[in-house]
């Protein structure tokens, strides 16, 4: 997708497509409260394969790799949000597709890849496997988890802290309630915080 208006990155790259009845789009599902008003789902219904992000629809799509060489076309080093329209570690994605994307990121050490997931346990498991016998550095791949409330902070952050990544980050967006990060801040490199946007956006109280 290239250029993006997301404030904390410079480019977005979606190397996984979800095809349904000949239409190319994206796919995900909603594991927690932060996903209620998913911007990607709205876009997929309107411009993609037409499906809403439900477990039933995940089973209907044909996953395919696309745009794998796109980062190689960028002339300047860039911050890049990976799989902004879905979740690279979604449980419906085959391991081999995820590994192919991971290996592709290692081909472009001039860029910084920002991988954000709500599937923290699967990320921990797969990244440990990918890096066990790696011959190339993954220091330019930043790994993060979404934390919209204390419940998800308690579930996802401990998994993130077990991941062998040079940079670990949190996206507290949409922030739906107070979150105490005290137990993890010594090992977290970056925290993004923000509210929800779009139709039906839920309020974020600054206090």
């Amino acid at each position: 997708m290239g250029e993006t208006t997301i404030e904390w990155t410079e480019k977005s790259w979606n190397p996984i497509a979800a095809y349904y009845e000949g239409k190319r789009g994206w796919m995900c599902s909603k594991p927690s409260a932060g996903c209620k008003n998913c911007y990607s789902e709205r876009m997929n219904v309107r411009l993609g394969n037409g499906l809403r992000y439900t477990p039933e629809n995940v089973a209907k799509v044909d996953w395919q790799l696309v745009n794998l060489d796109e980062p190689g076309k960028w002339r300047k080093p860039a911050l890049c949000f990976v799989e902004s329209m879905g979740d690279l570690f979604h449980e419906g994605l085959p391991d081999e597709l995820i590994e192919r994307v991971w290996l592709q990121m290692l081909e472009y050490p001039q860029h910084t890849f920002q991988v954000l997931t709500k599937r923290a346990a699967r990320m921990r498991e797969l990244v440990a496997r990918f890096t066990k016998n790696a011959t190339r550095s993954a220091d330019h791949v930043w790994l993060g988890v979404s934390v919209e409330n204390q419940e998800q902070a308690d579930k996802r952050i401990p998994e993130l802290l077990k991941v062998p990544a040079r940079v670990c980050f949190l996206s507290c967006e949409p922030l739906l309630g107070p979150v105490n990060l005290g137990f993890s801040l010594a090992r977290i490199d970056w925290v993004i915080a923000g509210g929800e946007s779009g139709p039906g956006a839920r309020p974020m109280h600054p206090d």
Side-chain angles (χ1 to χ4, degrees):
M1 295 179 70
E3 302 299 327
T4 179
T5 58
I6 298 172
E7 294 179 350
W8 46 265
T9 194
E10 295 171 345
K11 293 182 180 291
S12 64
W13 175 47
N14 287 275
I16 297 175
Y19 284 82
Y20 176 69
E21 294 186 343
K23 296 180 180 180
R24 173 174 160 179
W26 309 276
M27 181 48 60
C28 199
S29 54
K30 302 178 180 183
S32 59
C35 302
K36 179 181 178 181
N37 296 320
C38 178
Y39 70 90
S40 177
E41 180 186 55
R42 292 197 304 269
M43 189 176 294
N44 191 54
V45 169
R46 189 164 54 95
L47 301 173
N49 58 39
L51 296 177
R52 295 199 173 277
Y53 287 0
T54 67
E56 295 78 16
N57 286 339
V58 168
K60 296 178 182 178
V61 301
D62 175 30
W63 302 101
Q64 295 186 29
L65 294 173
V66 295
N67 306 323
L68 275 181
D69 62 347
E70 184 177 342
K73 300 175 182 178
W74 302 335
R75 295 184 178 182
K76 298 179 180 179
L79 283 171
C80 173
F81 180 18
V82 179
E83 204 56 31
S84 62
M85 296 295 288
D87 190 324
L88 184 62
F89 293 97
H90 190 280
E91 58 275 11
L93 280 168
D95 290 1
E96 56 268 25
L97 262 66
I98 301 172
E99 184 173 18
R100 186 68 187 86
V101 174
W102 180 267
L103 293 174
Q104 195 72 2
M105 290 190 286
L106 302 189
E107 294 287 330
Y108 305 113
Q110 70 272 32
H111 302 309
T112 298
F113 294 97
Q114 301 157 305
V115 181
L116 180 64
T117 186
K118 292 181 174 67
R119 280 80 178 176
R122 191 174 192 212
M123 177 176 68
R124 173 183 55 79
E125 294 169 2
L126 291 183
V127 171
R129 185 196 308 173
F130 298 161
T131 57
K132 184 176 181 180
N133 299 311
T135 58
R136 294 192 179 191
S137 171
D139 283 353
H140 61 296
V141 180
W142 297 2
L143 299 177
V145 294
S146 296
V147 173
E148 66 264 40
N149 53 33
Q150 192 66 51
E151 177 187 2
Q152 298 308 324
D154 294 342
K155 289 180 179 178
R156 294 171 181 162
I157 294 177
E159 297 286 355
L160 173 66
L161 296 181
K162 298 174 186 176
V163 175
R166 186 176 70 84
V167 173
C168 293
F169 70 98
L170 306 178
S171 174
C172 301
E173 190 177 39
L175 188 58
L176 302 179
V179 177
N180 184 347
L181 301 177
F183 71 97
S184 62
L185 280 181
R187 298 182 58 195
I188 296 295
D189 300 283
W190 182 36
V191 177
I192 303 162
E196 197 167 47
S197 60
R202 290 163 286 182
M204 187 192 81
H205 302 289
D207 56 342

